Amino acid sequence: MTKQQFIHVDADATVKPMPQTSDLVSGTIDGREVAVPWGTTLLEAAASIGTVIPTLCHHPALPPDGNCRLCLVEVDSRLAASCLFPLRRSGFSVSTESPKVFEARAFVLKLLLSRAPNDEYLKELAVKYEAAPDPRLGDLADGCVRCGRCVRACQATGTEAISLVGRSQERQVTGPFFEPPAQCVGCLACAKVCPTGYIVFSEERTSRSIWGRDFEMVLCPICGEPVGSLQELARAGAAEELCPACRRRAMASALVSGPGLSL
Amino acid sequence: MSTFDEQDLEQILRSRPAEPRQLLPLLQDIQARFRHLPKEALLATAERLSLPPARVFAAACFYRAFSLTPKGERLVAVCQGTACHLRGGQAVTESLEKRLGLKIGQTSADGRYGLESVNCLGACALAPVATVDGVVHGHLTPDAAAELI
Ligand code: SF4
Ligand code: FES
Ligand code: FES
Protein backbone atom coordinates (compact mmCIF):
# COMPACT_ATOMS: atom_id res chain seq x y z
CA MET A 1 0.00 0.00 0.00
CA THR A 2 1.38 3.39 -0.88
CA LYS A 3 1.50 6.16 1.60
CA GLN A 4 -1.17 8.22 -0.11
CA GLN A 5 -3.70 5.44 0.31
CA PHE A 6 -3.27 5.37 4.04
CA ILE A 7 -6.50 6.56 5.48
CA HIS A 8 -6.22 8.68 8.50
CA VAL A 9 -9.39 8.58 10.50
CA ASP A 10 -10.10 11.70 12.44
CA ALA A 11 -12.82 11.36 15.02
CA ASP A 12 -13.54 15.07 14.91
CA ALA A 13 -13.84 15.39 11.14
CA THR A 14 -16.89 17.26 9.94
CA VAL A 15 -19.51 16.20 7.41
CA LYS A 16 -17.88 15.22 4.14
CA PRO A 17 -18.44 17.27 0.99
CA MET A 18 -21.41 16.39 -1.10
CA PRO A 19 -21.07 14.14 -4.12
CA GLN A 20 -20.45 15.94 -7.38
CA THR A 21 -23.45 15.59 -9.63
CA SER A 22 -25.35 18.15 -11.60
CA ASP A 23 -28.83 16.76 -10.94
CA LEU A 24 -30.49 18.33 -7.96
CA VAL A 25 -33.36 16.92 -5.98
CA SER A 26 -35.47 19.12 -3.79
CA GLY A 27 -37.96 18.82 -0.97
CA THR A 28 -38.47 20.01 2.55
CA ILE A 29 -36.84 19.21 5.86
CA ASP A 30 -38.87 20.39 8.84
CA GLY A 31 -40.74 22.63 6.45
CA ARG A 32 -37.62 24.27 5.05
CA GLU A 33 -36.87 24.04 1.33
CA VAL A 34 -33.68 22.20 0.45
CA ALA A 35 -32.07 21.25 -2.87
CA VAL A 36 -29.17 18.82 -2.92
CA PRO A 37 -27.31 16.73 -5.51
CA TRP A 38 -29.00 13.46 -6.42
CA GLY A 39 -28.04 10.68 -4.00
CA THR A 40 -27.10 12.94 -1.10
CA THR A 41 -28.03 11.29 2.16
CA LEU A 42 -30.76 12.80 4.23
CA LEU A 43 -28.29 13.38 7.03
CA GLU A 44 -26.04 15.41 4.71
CA ALA A 45 -28.99 17.30 3.28
CA ALA A 46 -30.13 18.25 6.77
CA ALA A 47 -26.59 19.31 7.71
CA SER A 48 -26.43 21.52 4.61
CA ILE A 49 -29.18 23.72 6.05
CA GLY A 50 -27.82 23.52 9.56
CA THR A 51 -30.26 20.94 10.89
CA VAL A 52 -28.54 18.60 13.30
CA ILE A 53 -29.80 15.03 13.51
CA PRO A 54 -28.30 13.00 16.36
CA THR A 55 -26.05 10.17 15.14
CA LEU A 56 -23.88 7.58 16.76
CA CYS A 57 -22.71 4.82 14.43
CA HIS A 58 -22.22 7.31 11.62
CA HIS A 59 -18.75 8.68 11.01
CA PRO A 60 -18.11 10.98 8.06
CA ALA A 61 -14.84 9.25 7.17
CA LEU A 62 -16.33 5.76 7.22
CA PRO A 63 -18.89 3.92 5.10
CA PRO A 64 -22.34 4.26 6.67
CA ASP A 65 -23.75 1.21 8.38
CA GLY A 66 -27.09 2.35 9.76
CA ASN A 67 -27.01 0.09 12.78
CA CYS A 68 -27.63 2.38 15.76
CA ARG A 69 -30.93 3.87 14.49
CA LEU A 70 -30.41 7.06 16.45
CA CYS A 71 -30.65 9.15 13.27
CA LEU A 72 -34.18 7.97 12.46
CA VAL A 73 -36.35 10.64 10.86
CA GLU A 74 -39.76 10.61 9.27
CA VAL A 75 -39.69 10.63 5.46
CA ASP A 76 -43.09 10.85 3.81
CA SER A 77 -44.56 9.44 7.06
CA ARG A 78 -42.20 6.46 7.27
CA LEU A 79 -39.24 6.11 9.60
CA ALA A 80 -35.84 5.90 7.93
CA ALA A 81 -32.23 6.02 9.09
CA SER A 82 -31.09 9.34 7.68
CA CYS A 83 -27.38 8.44 7.55
CA LEU A 84 -28.18 5.73 5.01
CA PHE A 85 -31.11 7.29 3.17
CA PRO A 86 -30.16 8.64 -0.27
CA LEU A 87 -32.36 11.35 -1.73
CA ARG A 88 -33.16 10.31 -5.27
CA ARG A 89 -36.47 11.98 -5.97
CA SER A 90 -37.77 15.48 -5.62
CA GLY A 91 -40.77 16.26 -3.47
CA PHE A 92 -39.60 14.58 -0.28
CA SER A 93 -41.00 15.82 2.95
CA VAL A 94 -38.90 15.09 6.00
CA SER A 95 -39.53 15.68 9.66
CA THR A 96 -36.56 15.29 11.99
CA GLU A 97 -38.45 15.91 15.23
CA SER A 98 -42.03 14.68 14.79
CA PRO A 99 -43.76 12.89 17.70
CA LYS A 100 -43.15 9.61 15.89
CA VAL A 101 -39.44 10.38 15.56
CA PHE A 102 -39.29 11.48 19.18
CA GLU A 103 -40.81 8.22 20.35
CA ALA A 104 -38.61 6.05 18.13
CA ARG A 105 -35.48 7.90 19.17
CA ALA A 106 -36.39 7.58 22.83
CA PHE A 107 -36.70 3.83 22.37
CA VAL A 108 -33.39 3.58 20.55
CA LEU A 109 -31.76 5.63 23.29
CA LYS A 110 -33.11 3.28 25.91
CA LEU A 111 -31.33 0.40 24.19
CA LEU A 112 -28.10 2.31 23.67
CA LEU A 113 -28.12 3.50 27.28
CA SER A 114 -28.44 -0.08 28.43
CA ARG A 115 -25.02 -0.64 26.91
CA ALA A 116 -23.37 2.67 27.76
CA PRO A 117 -25.27 4.35 30.60
CA ASN A 118 -22.34 6.61 31.50
CA ASP A 119 -21.68 8.02 28.06
CA GLU A 120 -21.97 11.82 28.23
CA TYR A 121 -23.38 12.22 24.74
CA LEU A 122 -26.07 9.60 25.31
CA LYS A 123 -26.86 10.99 28.75
CA GLU A 124 -27.41 14.42 27.25
CA LEU A 125 -29.76 13.00 24.63
CA ALA A 126 -31.51 10.94 27.29
CA VAL A 127 -32.54 14.11 29.07
CA LYS A 128 -34.01 15.58 25.93
CA TYR A 129 -35.83 12.39 24.93
CA GLU A 130 -36.74 11.35 28.47
CA ALA A 131 -35.05 7.98 28.06
CA ALA A 132 -33.53 5.67 30.66
CA PRO A 133 -31.94 2.22 30.46
CA ASP A 134 -34.48 -0.57 30.66
CA PRO A 135 -33.83 -2.78 33.72
CA ARG A 136 -35.74 -5.63 32.06
CA LEU A 137 -32.87 -6.01 29.60
CA GLY A 138 -30.59 -7.15 32.40
CA ASP A 139 -27.14 -5.79 33.00
CA LEU A 140 -25.68 -5.14 29.58
CA ALA A 141 -23.68 -2.08 30.55
CA ASP A 142 -20.18 -2.82 29.34
CA GLY A 143 -19.80 0.57 27.65
CA CYS A 144 -19.77 -0.64 24.03
CA VAL A 145 -22.81 0.19 21.91
CA ARG A 146 -21.86 -2.22 19.09
CA CYS A 147 -21.85 0.58 16.53
CA GLY A 148 -18.95 -1.04 14.67
CA ARG A 149 -17.16 2.23 14.02
CA CYS A 150 -13.96 0.64 15.28
CA VAL A 151 -14.35 -2.31 12.92
CA ARG A 152 -15.10 -0.07 9.94
CA ALA A 153 -12.11 2.14 10.77
CA CYS A 154 -9.88 -0.90 10.93
CA GLN A 155 -11.29 -2.08 7.60
CA ALA A 156 -10.71 1.35 6.10
CA THR A 157 -7.03 1.16 6.93
CA GLY A 158 -6.91 -2.15 5.08
CA THR A 159 -5.97 -4.11 8.18
CA GLU A 160 -9.26 -5.52 9.51
CA ALA A 161 -7.75 -6.96 12.66
CA ILE A 162 -10.97 -6.89 14.69
CA SER A 163 -14.60 -7.70 13.97
CA LEU A 164 -18.03 -7.77 15.53
CA VAL A 165 -18.49 -11.37 16.55
CA GLY A 166 -21.56 -13.33 17.60
CA ARG A 167 -25.21 -12.42 17.56
CA SER A 168 -27.81 -10.80 19.72
CA GLN A 169 -26.65 -9.93 23.22
CA GLU A 170 -23.45 -11.91 22.80
CA ARG A 171 -22.27 -9.71 19.96
CA GLN A 172 -18.95 -8.09 20.78
CA VAL A 173 -15.92 -6.46 19.27
CA THR A 174 -12.91 -8.71 19.44
CA GLY A 175 -9.84 -10.04 17.70
CA PRO A 176 -10.15 -13.47 16.06
CA PHE A 177 -10.60 -16.30 18.61
CA PHE A 178 -11.17 -13.70 21.33
CA GLU A 179 -7.42 -13.22 21.40
CA PRO A 180 -5.16 -10.20 20.91
CA PRO A 181 -5.35 -9.68 17.14
CA ALA A 182 -2.13 -10.70 15.39
CA GLN A 183 -2.92 -8.36 12.47
CA CYS A 184 -3.20 -5.24 14.62
CA VAL A 185 -0.51 -2.67 13.86
CA GLY A 186 -1.31 -0.46 16.83
CA CYS A 187 -2.51 2.57 14.86
CA LEU A 188 -5.28 3.38 17.39
CA ALA A 189 -7.77 4.20 14.59
CA CYS A 190 -10.40 2.04 16.33
CA ALA A 191 -9.97 3.78 19.67
CA LYS A 192 -10.08 7.21 18.04
CA VAL A 193 -13.40 6.64 16.29
CA CYS A 194 -15.08 4.86 19.20
CA PRO A 195 -17.88 7.18 20.37
CA THR A 196 -17.91 5.84 23.92
CA GLY A 197 -14.22 5.44 24.66
CA TYR A 198 -14.66 1.73 25.19
CA ILE A 199 -11.40 0.69 23.57
CA VAL A 200 -8.60 1.04 26.08
CA PHE A 201 -5.07 1.79 25.06
CA SER A 202 -2.01 3.23 26.70
CA GLU A 203 0.63 5.35 25.14
CA GLU A 204 4.09 6.30 26.22
CA ARG A 205 6.89 7.94 24.30
CA THR A 206 8.46 4.68 23.18
CA SER A 207 5.61 2.20 23.39
CA ARG A 208 1.92 1.78 22.91
CA SER A 209 -0.54 -0.94 23.94
CA ILE A 210 -3.97 -1.79 22.59
CA TRP A 211 -6.04 -4.97 22.30
CA GLY A 212 -3.60 -6.78 24.56
CA ARG A 213 -0.67 -6.13 22.24
CA ASP A 214 2.42 -3.99 22.73
CA PHE A 215 3.99 -1.87 20.04
CA GLU A 216 7.29 -0.10 19.78
CA MET A 217 7.14 3.53 18.69
CA VAL A 218 9.18 5.13 15.95
CA LEU A 219 10.64 8.43 17.11
CA CYS A 220 11.17 11.45 14.90
CA PRO A 221 14.87 11.49 13.99
CA ILE A 222 14.97 15.27 14.42
CA CYS A 223 13.02 16.09 17.57
CA GLY A 224 12.57 12.63 19.10
CA GLU A 225 8.77 12.90 19.34
CA PRO A 226 6.85 9.65 18.74
CA VAL A 227 5.53 9.41 15.17
CA GLY A 228 3.70 6.09 15.13
CA SER A 229 4.17 2.42 15.86
CA LEU A 230 6.73 0.49 13.85
CA GLN A 231 4.07 -1.68 12.20
CA GLU A 232 1.79 1.26 11.57
CA LEU A 233 4.48 3.07 9.61
CA ALA A 234 5.36 -0.12 7.77
CA ARG A 235 1.71 -0.42 6.70
CA ALA A 236 1.80 3.14 5.41
CA GLY A 237 4.95 2.25 3.46
CA ALA A 238 7.34 4.39 5.49
CA ALA A 239 10.36 3.05 7.34
CA GLU A 240 11.43 6.24 8.98
CA GLU A 241 9.43 9.36 9.32
CA LEU A 242 9.57 12.87 10.67
CA CYS A 243 6.86 14.01 13.01
CA PRO A 244 4.30 16.37 11.39
CA ALA A 245 5.94 19.51 12.83
CA CYS A 246 9.44 18.58 11.67
CA ARG A 247 8.07 17.48 8.30
CA ARG A 248 6.52 20.91 7.77
CA ARG A 249 9.74 22.61 8.75
CA ALA A 250 11.80 20.35 6.50
CA MET A 251 9.46 21.03 3.60
CA ALA A 252 9.54 24.76 4.15
CA SER A 253 13.33 24.89 4.28
CA ALA A 254 13.54 22.72 1.16
CA LEU A 255 11.36 25.27 -0.64
CA VAL A 256 13.45 28.19 0.57
CA SER A 257 16.85 26.69 -0.16
CA GLY A 258 15.76 24.65 -3.16
CA PRO A 259 16.60 25.38 -6.80
CA GLY A 260 13.49 27.54 -7.15
CA LEU A 261 10.76 27.29 -9.72
CA SER A 262 12.10 26.71 -13.21
CA LEU A 263 9.57 27.74 -15.79
CA MET B 1 -13.44 -38.10 13.25
CA SER B 2 -13.57 -34.76 14.92
CA THR B 3 -9.85 -34.41 15.41
CA PHE B 4 -7.99 -32.06 13.24
CA ASP B 5 -6.11 -33.60 10.34
CA GLU B 6 -3.95 -31.39 8.19
CA GLN B 7 -4.20 -33.55 5.09
CA ASP B 8 -7.98 -33.65 5.27
CA LEU B 9 -8.02 -29.91 5.65
CA GLU B 10 -5.68 -29.41 2.73
CA GLN B 11 -7.92 -31.57 0.58
CA ILE B 12 -11.03 -29.60 1.58
CA LEU B 13 -9.35 -26.26 0.91
CA ARG B 14 -8.16 -27.36 -2.53
CA SER B 15 -11.58 -28.70 -3.49
CA ARG B 16 -12.85 -25.19 -4.17
CA PRO B 17 -11.43 -22.19 -5.99
CA ALA B 18 -9.55 -19.72 -3.78
CA GLU B 19 -12.23 -17.03 -3.95
CA PRO B 20 -13.72 -15.07 -1.04
CA ARG B 21 -17.23 -16.24 -1.93
CA GLN B 22 -16.15 -19.81 -1.15
CA LEU B 23 -15.86 -18.90 2.52
CA LEU B 24 -19.19 -20.31 3.70
CA PRO B 25 -19.07 -23.45 1.53
CA LEU B 26 -15.58 -24.18 2.85
CA LEU B 27 -16.63 -23.62 6.45
CA GLN B 28 -19.54 -26.02 5.85
CA ASP B 29 -17.18 -28.65 4.46
CA ILE B 30 -14.81 -28.21 7.39
CA GLN B 31 -17.64 -28.38 9.92
CA ALA B 32 -18.93 -31.56 8.26
CA ARG B 33 -15.52 -33.21 8.31
CA PHE B 34 -14.31 -32.25 11.79
CA ARG B 35 -17.71 -31.59 13.43
CA HIS B 36 -16.38 -28.22 14.43
CA LEU B 37 -14.21 -25.44 13.04
CA PRO B 38 -10.73 -25.88 14.49
CA LYS B 39 -8.69 -22.73 14.90
CA GLU B 40 -5.97 -24.02 12.57
CA ALA B 41 -8.61 -24.66 9.92
CA LEU B 42 -10.04 -21.14 10.20
CA LEU B 43 -6.59 -19.62 9.90
CA ALA B 44 -5.76 -21.81 6.92
CA THR B 45 -9.07 -20.85 5.28
CA ALA B 46 -8.33 -17.17 5.79
CA GLU B 47 -4.92 -17.63 4.22
CA ARG B 48 -6.22 -19.66 1.28
CA LEU B 49 -8.95 -17.12 0.46
CA SER B 50 -6.76 -14.09 1.27
CA LEU B 51 -9.29 -12.91 3.84
CA PRO B 52 -8.50 -11.34 7.20
CA PRO B 53 -8.84 -13.91 10.01
CA ALA B 54 -11.15 -11.43 11.75
CA ARG B 55 -13.70 -11.77 8.94
CA VAL B 56 -13.46 -15.56 8.82
CA PHE B 57 -13.87 -15.76 12.59
CA ALA B 58 -16.91 -13.47 12.50
CA ALA B 59 -18.54 -15.71 9.87
CA ALA B 60 -17.72 -18.80 11.91
CA CYS B 61 -19.42 -17.28 14.95
CA PHE B 62 -22.47 -15.98 13.10
CA TYR B 63 -24.18 -19.18 11.98
CA ARG B 64 -25.67 -21.73 14.33
CA ALA B 65 -24.59 -24.48 11.93
CA PHE B 66 -20.97 -23.77 12.81
CA SER B 67 -19.34 -24.60 16.08
CA LEU B 68 -15.93 -23.74 17.50
CA THR B 69 -15.97 -26.78 19.79
CA PRO B 70 -16.60 -30.35 18.59
CA LYS B 71 -20.24 -31.33 18.26
CA GLY B 72 -21.36 -34.83 19.21
CA GLU B 73 -21.04 -37.70 16.75
CA ARG B 74 -24.78 -38.08 16.92
CA LEU B 75 -26.67 -34.83 16.97
CA VAL B 76 -30.05 -34.71 18.64
CA ALA B 77 -31.99 -31.53 17.94
CA VAL B 78 -35.25 -30.94 19.69
CA CYS B 79 -37.69 -28.36 18.43
CA GLN B 80 -38.71 -25.57 20.74
CA GLY B 81 -40.78 -23.68 18.21
CA THR B 82 -44.26 -22.44 19.00
CA ALA B 83 -46.19 -25.41 17.65
CA CYS B 84 -43.91 -27.95 19.32
CA HIS B 85 -43.97 -26.00 22.54
CA LEU B 86 -47.78 -26.05 22.59
CA ARG B 87 -47.85 -29.78 21.97
CA GLY B 88 -45.57 -30.84 24.76
CA GLY B 89 -42.13 -29.99 23.39
CA GLN B 90 -40.91 -29.01 26.82
CA ALA B 91 -41.59 -32.48 28.25
CA VAL B 92 -39.85 -34.02 25.23
CA THR B 93 -36.86 -31.77 25.81
CA GLU B 94 -36.68 -32.73 29.47
CA SER B 95 -36.94 -36.41 28.63
CA LEU B 96 -34.06 -36.14 26.15
CA GLU B 97 -31.98 -34.15 28.62
CA LYS B 98 -32.52 -36.84 31.23
CA ARG B 99 -31.83 -39.72 28.85
CA LEU B 100 -28.59 -38.17 27.61
CA GLY B 101 -27.55 -36.58 30.87
CA LEU B 102 -27.01 -33.36 28.92
CA LYS B 103 -28.50 -29.91 28.90
CA ILE B 104 -29.45 -28.20 25.65
CA GLY B 105 -26.27 -27.02 23.95
CA GLN B 106 -24.03 -29.62 25.60
CA THR B 107 -21.97 -32.45 24.17
CA SER B 108 -21.22 -35.62 26.11
CA ALA B 109 -17.72 -35.92 27.52
CA ASP B 110 -16.94 -38.87 25.23
CA GLY B 111 -18.09 -36.84 22.23
CA ARG B 112 -20.73 -39.39 21.23
CA TYR B 113 -23.86 -37.26 21.69
CA GLY B 114 -24.77 -33.64 21.32
CA LEU B 115 -28.10 -32.08 22.29
CA GLU B 116 -29.37 -28.92 20.65
CA SER B 117 -32.56 -26.96 20.34
CA VAL B 118 -33.99 -25.54 17.13
CA ASN B 119 -36.66 -22.91 16.78
CA CYS B 120 -38.85 -24.61 14.19
CA LEU B 121 -38.05 -27.47 11.89
CA GLY B 122 -40.83 -26.52 9.51
CA ALA B 123 -42.66 -29.73 10.39
CA CYS B 124 -45.21 -28.22 12.76
CA ALA B 125 -47.91 -30.69 11.66
CA LEU B 126 -45.78 -33.41 13.26
CA ALA B 127 -45.27 -31.51 16.52
CA PRO B 128 -43.59 -32.16 18.83
CA VAL B 129 -40.56 -32.91 16.70
CA ALA B 130 -36.92 -33.84 17.21
CA THR B 131 -34.23 -34.89 14.76
CA VAL B 132 -31.45 -37.40 15.26
CA ASP B 133 -28.65 -36.91 12.77
CA GLY B 134 -31.04 -34.97 10.57
CA VAL B 135 -33.77 -37.61 10.54
CA VAL B 136 -37.10 -36.18 11.64
CA HIS B 137 -39.14 -37.92 14.33
CA GLY B 138 -42.63 -36.54 14.87
CA HIS B 139 -45.54 -36.87 17.27
CA LEU B 140 -43.10 -37.54 20.07
CA THR B 141 -44.00 -38.36 23.64
CA PRO B 142 -41.40 -38.13 26.39
CA ASP B 143 -41.05 -41.92 26.33
CA ALA B 144 -40.82 -42.16 22.56
CA ALA B 145 -38.15 -39.46 22.60
CA ALA B 146 -36.05 -41.35 25.14
CA GLU B 147 -36.25 -44.42 22.94
CA LEU B 148 -34.73 -42.60 19.98
CA ILE B 149 -31.35 -42.87 21.68
S1 SF4 C 1 -15.84 -0.47 20.75
FE1 SF4 C 1 -16.62 1.62 20.40
S2 SF4 C 1 -16.52 1.88 18.15
FE2 SF4 C 1 -16.37 -0.32 18.57
S3 SF4 C 1 -18.50 -1.06 18.47
FE3 SF4 C 1 -18.10 -0.59 20.64
S4 SF4 C 1 -18.81 1.53 20.91
FE4 SF4 C 1 -18.61 1.19 18.69
S1 FES D 1 -26.21 7.19 12.72
FE1 FES D 1 -27.66 6.48 11.32
S2 FES D 1 -28.15 4.53 12.05
FE2 FES D 1 -26.50 5.14 13.35
S1 FES E 1 -42.52 -25.53 15.85
FE1 FES E 1 -41.51 -27.42 15.86
S2 FES E 1 -41.52 -27.93 13.77
FE2 FES E 1 -42.43 -25.96 13.76
Side-chain angles (χ1 to χ4, degrees), chain B residues 102-117:
Chain B
L102 299 173
K103 291 273 167 215
I104 294 285
Q106 290 182 337
T107 301
S108 62
D110 62 4
R112 298 250 335 261
Y113 285 98
L115 183 61
E116 286 184 347
S117 66

Side-chain angles (χ1 to χ4, degrees), chain A residues 163-221:
Chain A
S163 51
L164 273 164
V165 165
R167 292 197 297 188
S168 186
Q169 294 194 356
E170 268 128 53
R171 196 161 172 77
Q172 59 180 290
V173 178
T174 173
F177 313 102
F178 306 110
E179 289 170 5
Q183 283 70 26
C184 177
V185 298
C187 72
L188 308 187
C190 54
K192 285 181 189 156
V193 297
C194 175
T196 66
Y198 172 78
I199 301 176
V200 287
F201 64 94
S202 67
E203 215 172 4
E204 277 159 50
R205 208 173 78 89
T206 54
S207 67
R208 206 185 244 177
S209 309
I210 189 166
W211 292 114
R213 300 226 10 234
D214 299 323
F215 298 90
E216 198 188 313
M217 295 297 282
V218 173
L219 304 180
C220 174

